[in-house]
Amino acid sequence: LSACSSSTIQIVRNGTSNYEIVIPSDADSMIQDAAEELRHYIRESSGADIPVTTEEAHDPDRLSLKVGFEPTTPALTAHTIGYYQEGDDLYIYGGNSLSTLYSVYRFLEQELGCLWLSPEADLIPETKNISIESGTNYSYTPDIETRTVHSRLFYENHGFADKLGVTHEGFPGYVPGYGVHTFHRLMPEASFYEEHPEYYALRDGRRLTTQLCLSNEDVLRIVIDSVEAIFKKHPETDIISVSQDDNTLYCQCEHCAAIDEEEGSPSGSMIRFVNAVAEQFPDKMISTLAYQYTRKPCKTRPASNVLITLCSIECDRSKPIEEGCVDFANDLKGWKELTENIRIWDYTTQFTNFLAPFPNLHTLSPNILLFRDSHAKWIFEQHSHQPSELFELRSYLTAQLLWNPDQDPDQIMERFSEAYYQEAAPYILDYIHTIHDEIQKVPEFFLFLYGDPSQGFDSFLRPELLESYDQLFAQAEDVVSQKPEVLERVRLARLSTHYAILEASRKGARKLVNWVV
């Protein structure tokens, strides 16, 4: 926000404006929403109510903030966003309607200083003057095209998801209920196993319903028929998962084993099978997993309409993947050499103890950079859907890094904390930096997705550190004690330390002395 000068274009002066927000006459509902959002936040910031009108109804005596018009620049991708000044007019555009909405939010964020912190917390600077630099021309195309943070903050608040540029759901474009682990749905054991046990996995001489026998031609035929019927029921969808169930008991019959031996990985029989399914649906995308026993790449290239979902579930979350999970990094490199269609399924929380302190924030940036640099266009970060440690900060940080992996994560956390926790921010940032420093002092520590706080009671959660963390949060509460809304945010953030203290006391690692919730 700058004062009026010859080098700026003044959109609002002293709380009034000579602009109209102009949209195409045939604008769809999303473009209309984008224009109304621009109007709303300019009014919230400056008090100026700039009307929204169509190109045909535009008052020629007023200047234009044009939303949703294709720019006179080189061809756009669907994901390109941008805004630029032309004369006294401002154009806000995107490669499609959703990208145009994202452009409006980036304009408000970058030019007005708006911050979207949580569904209930926006930071909208107040000013009587809004201007942009003369010659402004901003354009950005996200490298990661589909960005998902598995958090109820986004799934239950679609407007908030749009502000941070992430999806509203975990599996956009997929057939509902067919996002992952689908073998048992495509061929239910109740329908086939009794008469045809040979359709299922052979393990130690027995046919088990754990997985399908992928070398059986009848299995392929039945799965193709199932996929066809499902797509007919959901013609609006473009993707279905044909993927292993969530266990490692895959088929080891003579034929499957021979394929996997030839391919150098159990993913070989999987990719051959999925390719054969995909061949029948050239206009659809068939998704499958590279997960646990199928994570290692095979020799056969996935078909052009096969999407590989590569999962990092085995990795130590206390270290960047390239440092602490070299096997996964090598597998990612191998899949990159086979296909352009890679979807990353990454994990960022402790599933057995969502509230437990989980010092992995320092790994988010290097991991997302690794995925981006490996040309993964779709990243699913499995944050805790339910509230967890520093829930709002984690959701915000992850979304920001997916939007632009080249950002400095420390600056993002500082920006968020100063706006969300306000005067308490220094204490919460001190907690974050301290607990992350402490876990890095123990390089042999394995931060496990299915771990327990007790694993850290002799390192980053030892009793004297738990005491110091709790004191930091006590100080944080004290400095915002006269701000009930901010105080509640700090108290929620403190729950993780309280949870760890209770666990330590329950397991005899710490006595509850002079400690009151």
Side-chain angles (χ1 to χ4, degrees), residues 33-249:
D33 289 345
E36 288 296 340
E37 285 289 84
L38 181 62
R39 177 185 188 180
H40 169 75
Y41 283 104
I42 288 177
R43 184 174 61 239
E44 288 291 301
S45 178
S46 68
D49 190 2
I50 302 178
V52 176
T53 186
T54 64
E55 189 174 23
E56 292 177 350
H58 170 54
D59 182 348
D61 292 329
R62 302 190 71 167
L63 303 173
S64 299
L65 302 177
K66 292 194 171 184
V67 176
F69 292 87
E70 187 171 338
T72 57
T73 53
L76 309 176
T77 76
H79 305 280
T80 299
I81 71 163
Y83 53 88
Y84 65 96
Q85 172 245 332
E86 189 172 279
D88 288 326
D89 294 336
L90 178 73
Y91 289 75
I92 302 178
Y93 66 89
N96 59 27
S97 296
L98 179 58
S99 293
T100 299
L101 180 61
Y102 291 162
S103 293
V104 165
Y105 290 128
R106 296 295 76 75
F107 171 77
L108 293 168
E109 187 177 57
Q110 293 173 175
E111 303 298 332
L112 273 70
C114 297
L115 291 178
W116 331 110
L117 306 168
S118 79
E120 293 79 31
D122 290 344
L123 177 64
I124 314 301
E126 294 184 5
T127 180
K128 292 297 183 182
N129 299 291
I130 296 175
S131 62
I132 61 169
E133 292 294 324
S134 182
T136 290
N137 189 348
Y138 169 79
S139 178
Y140 178 68
T141 302
D143 294 318
I144 303 164
E145 296 175 352
T146 306
R147 302 164 298 276
T148 301
V149 181
H150 185 66
S151 166
R152 66 190 297 177
L153 294 182
F154 301 120
Y155 292 169
E156 296 178 2
N157 303 277
H158 294 177
F160 182 57
D162 290 337
K163 289 169 183 174
L164 292 187
V166 296
T167 66
H168 300 170
E169 56 183 308
F171 299 93
Y174 277 71
V175 175
Y178 289 85
V180 69
H181 302 315
T182 61
F183 277 177
H184 70 285
R185 301 202 63 188
L186 296 169
M187 286 189 62
E189 62 179 276
S191 301
F192 297 99
Y193 181 70
E194 186 173 351
E195 292 188 15
H196 295 283
E198 73 274 14
Y199 290 172
Y200 296 90
L202 182 68
R203 303 286 300 195
D204 298 324
R206 297 176 57 214
R207 290 284 178 176
L208 306 178
T209 59
T210 51
Q211 305 288 353
L212 300 179
C213 177
L214 299 180
S215 60
N216 188 302
E217 292 184 0
D218 287 337
V219 170
L220 176 61
R221 174 182 54 79
I222 293 167
V223 168
I224 289 172
D225 288 346
S226 294
V227 170
E228 183 178 19
I230 293 164
F231 272 136
K232 284 182 178 178
K233 188 176 179 181
H234 298 277
E236 75 285 357
T237 61
D238 297 315
I239 311 172
I240 191 171
S241 177
V242 176
S243 59
Q244 68 210 59
D245 287 322
D246 200 2
N247 63 74
T248 59
L249 299 177

Side-chain angles (χ1 to χ4, degrees), residues 251-262:
C251 186
Q252 295 178 329
C253 75
E254 178 184 357
H255 299 295
C256 288
I259 294 171
D260 293 342
E261 177 69 21
E262 181 182 344

